[in-house]
Amino acid sequence: MRRCYHFVLLLLLIAGTTRAGLGQPTDSTRHRVGLHRLVPHHTKLQFAGSIGWVSASAGYGIWKRKVEADISAGYIPRWHNGNTRGLFTAAVKLTVWPWRLPLTARTTVYPISVGMWGSLTPGDNLELFWPDYYPSRYYWSPTGVRTGGFLGGRLERALGPTAKARSVAAYYEAGTNDQLATIWYFNRRTVSVGSILHLALGIQLRFR
Amino acid sequence: MGTSCQRTSPATWLLLAMGLMTGCNWFEYSPMAADVPLEHYNQQALARLAPPATDTTRFVLTGDTQRFFDEAEDFVKSVNQQRGVQFVVHAGDITDFGIAWEYQQMHHVLSKLHVPYLAVIGNHDLLANGPTIYQRLYGPLNFSFVYGGHKFIFLDTNGREYGFQRPVPDLNWLREELREDSAAFTDALVVAHVPPFNSDFDPRFAAEYPAVLAASGRVRLSMHGHQHSTLHYGPHNNDGVQYLLPGSVEERTYVVVTLWPSGTKVERIFF
């Protein structure tokens, strides 16, 4: 089971970064037909953000790229997990970019993003379903399942016609998760918003 | 001149930046990762304990701070006004979800106490990577110390968290701790999160636990949290043990326990 999970993550990584198996797309794939419809539109490499020390994702831009859907594979090395063993996190992420402000001919600012994610992190004592030795509804959501939300922004630079990618962008996110948001909600007098927010930094490469 | 800087590749800068940001708590890599330093707060607390000046020992018993940060802040303020208290005993459930953020934030609140505090592990503290986090931050799950001739035994009794499959509580260890020659002590007090009369205590040991305490003949109190119940001070089902449950921080109450050679006093405080 565990091995199988790692295999799926590996496939995701390959799909996101090399788009192997579908051939190198050319200009004709801009109007994607057939299997090429499945080729991701972009890939992201992210630092932190509660879905891995580092995570790689593949995703699609829909509705004139106002909405992005990503599926990501993240890794937390053992030295960030009490020197026990590394953790793998699979996440789906939805980001909305309502506005774009062209700065120059090639540079665009996306001042605000709003997004949410859901993640699965299996491991020792990290459950995707509660074991049956608990009475029903004994605890909250299983320990390996988390959801979260964030706000962010992005700076995008279009690349020249000879470049292999269409554009490259840097983005940031500041967000929290369901558990920390709950703690904050019930303790607004002593728990500050700042203390439950965490940052993510990433780069995005948009394919041709 | 300056060429070495120009030659540094963006990847190197990225790695360097990630390395620097790694130590910064602006970033979280996983909510459930045991990303905490090695501390052993319980040992640090023991090192800070002021030696007993008289034959009277006075401590505060609380529990179940969980996600009640507002109440925990008020608890700390209240305890800091108590006179003659030598330390605070936390009967478990420091956290609600067993995550590193909660462990560290709750310790941040409790470390404002003017006296050291010692905590036993609760069932919520064992969720997710909680076992690793507790052991890195607080130390062993079962431990004991002697203060003023009283032996305080901290015991993991969260049987359900192990699916009732492990020997939890470790009654062999408890028996050893209560042996007359194990260390110099006149009587003993046990601190364990789940009381034996709760359904989360492993039913295989529910009758044996009070029997071990009663057989030793030297256990003054068996102190527990978990039930968030209002004060319970007295025997239970005539099993030969004197129990003390302080109520929880959520209920804005705790107890002050005073021990002297011929007596025990339990005082309930509301804050």
Side-chain angles (χ1 to χ4, degrees):
Chain A
M1 180 64 196
R2 203 181 155 83
R3 224 174 258 174
C4 175
Y5 176 75
H6 288 172
F7 180 67
V8 172
L9 284 184
L10 193 67
L11 276 184
L12 274 173
L13 268 171
I14 292 168
T17 52
T18 70
R19 305 149 89 202
L22 292 167
Q24 207 45 248
T26 61
D27 264 2
S28 64
T29 59
R30 280 191 186 182
H31 310 285
R32 290 178 168 130
V33 289
L35 265 183
H36 279 297
R37 280 170 188 274
L38 298 175
V39 175
H41 299 170
H42 63 250
T43 182
K44 292 174 185 170
L45 192 67
Q46 181 174 307
F47 170 69
S50 306
I51 55 168
W53 181 65
V54 65
S55 60
S57 75
Y60 304 89
I62 46 182
W63 292 322
K64 294 184 179 172
R65 294 181 63 216
K66 278 195 189 301
V67 177
E68 278 176 1
D70 284 88
I71 180 156
S72 84
Y75 179 63
I76 298 108
R78 56 189 289 276
W79 61 86
H80 282 304
N81 191 31
N83 281 330
T84 52
R85 57 172 64 173
L87 291 172
F88 287 95
T89 293
V92 287
K93 204 159 121 180
L94 216 59
T95 315
V96 181
W97 304 93
W99 299 293
R100 48 191 296 167
L101 308 172
L103 271 192
T104 67
R106 280 189 169 187
T107 315
T108 311
V109 172
Y110 297 76
I112 287 175
S113 71
V114 185
M116 55 189 293
W117 51 265
S119 74
L120 301 177
T121 309
D124 300 335
N125 215 34
L126 289 171
E127 318 285 354
L128 304 186
F129 303 97
W130 286 116
D132 47 8
Y133 51 75
Y134 292 114
S136 70
R137 306 180 80 183
Y138 189 77
Y139 289 121
W140 203 0
S141 63
T143 49
V145 183
R146 286 275 65 76
T147 57
F150 58 87
L151 297 172
R154 176 169 72 181
L155 184 70
E156 188 180 63
R157 173 101 176 142
L159 299 175
T162 52
K164 285 183 178 170
R166 190 179 294 201
S167 67
V168 61
Y171 66 89
Y172 79 93
E173 294 166 2
T176 192
N177 66 51
D178 53 336
Q179 291 178 332
L180 298 191
T182 307
I183 290 170
W184 172 80
Y185 181 78
F186 288 110
N187 298 278
R188 282 169 300 194
R189 184 162 60 82
T190 60
V191 176
S192 67
V193 175
S195 72
I196 62 159
L197 288 182
H198 294 108
L199 281 179
L201 299 174
I203 48 174
Q204 177 176 9
L205 210 61
R206 225 180 123 210
F207 301 130
R208 289 205 177 273
Chain B
M1 293 270 271
T3 49
S4 64
C5 188
Q6 284 165 14
R7 275 184 200 149
T8 311
S9 72
T12 312
W13 284 114
L14 186 71
L15 279 175
L16 193 69
M18 281 171 81
L20 285 173
M21 291 183 297
T22 282
C24 173
N25 60 10
W26 288 6
F27 298 95
E28 181 185 69
Y29 310 123
S30 167
M32 55 284 262
D35 201 3
V36 294
L38 259 181
E39 291 284 354
H40 288 194
Y41 295 145
N42 282 334
Q43 274 179 35
Q44 293 168 17
L46 288 177
R48 280 179 52 219
L49 272 182
T54 63
D55 61 359
T56 302
T57 296
R58 180 173 293 148
F59 64 93
V60 162
L61 176 64
T62 184
D64 302 274
T65 45
Q66 290 178 290
R67 62 167 185 270
F68 309 110
F69 285 87
D70 284 356
E71 291 83 352
E73 291 270 1
D74 295 341
F75 162 77
V76 167
K77 281 184 196 140
S78 173
V79 171
N80 283 346
Q81 287 168 353
Q82 295 289 343
R83 299 176 109 195
V85 167
Q86 287 145 326
F87 55 95
V88 172
V89 171
H90 191 307
D93 276 1
I94 307 157
T95 69
D96 210 21
F97 309 118
I99 56 173
W101 186 95
E102 287 181 294
Y103 266 108
Q104 289 176 303
Q105 292 288 322
M106 194 51 84
H107 173 68
H108 178 69
V109 174
L110 296 175
S111 60
K112 292 177 200 161
L113 284 163
H114 293 167
V115 292
Y117 81 95
L118 297 121
V120 76
I121 195 155
N123 60 310
H124 283 261
D125 302 321
L126 283 164
L127 293 174
N129 258 317
T132 306
I133 299 173
Y134 178 91
Q135 285 174 85
R136 286 179 73 81
L137 290 182
Y138 286 89
L141 304 188
N142 296 328
F143 69 100
S144 70
F145 65 94
V146 177
Y147 186 84
H150 313 287
K151 187 169 205 178
F152 290 82
I153 303 172
F154 286 60
L155 181 70
D156 175 9
T157 56
N158 307 292
R160 189 184 292 279
E161 293 310 309
Y162 308 97
F164 299 135
Q165 296 295 310
R166 298 237 215 117
V168 173
D170 187 344
L171 294 181
N172 290 331
W173 178 82
L174 181 61
R175 249 182 231 107
E176 278 297 305
E177 287 293 311
L178 287 170
R179 258 174 49 177
E180 269 178 56
D181 55 346
S182 72
F185 62 99
T186 51
D187 53 39
L189 298 96
V190 181
V191 184
H193 183 63
V194 179
F197 41 83
N198 186 282
S199 63
D200 296 324
F201 196 100
D202 193 328
R204 295 174 299 167
F205 308 116
E208 201 180 343
Y209 171 84
V212 169
L213 301 200
S216 83
R218 291 199 295 173
V219 177
R220 274 208 202 196
L221 287 173
S222 181
M223 303 185 283
H224 308 272
H226 193 57
Q227 306 212 136
H228 294 229
S229 52
T230 46
L231 181 70
H232 175 115
Y233 179 39
H236 182 84
N237 280 350
N238 296 321
D239 60 9
V241 176
Q242 209 40 6
Y243 293 96
L244 175 58
L245 281 74
S248 75
V249 164
E250 179 191 7
E251 296 166 302
R252 308 186 74 87
T253 181
Y254 62 88
V255 296
V256 178
V257 182
T258 310
L259 311 170
W260 66 96
S262 58
T264 305
K265 185 175 152 199
V266 172
E267 240 179 311
R268 189 170 195 200
I269 310 289
F270 291 92
F271 62 90

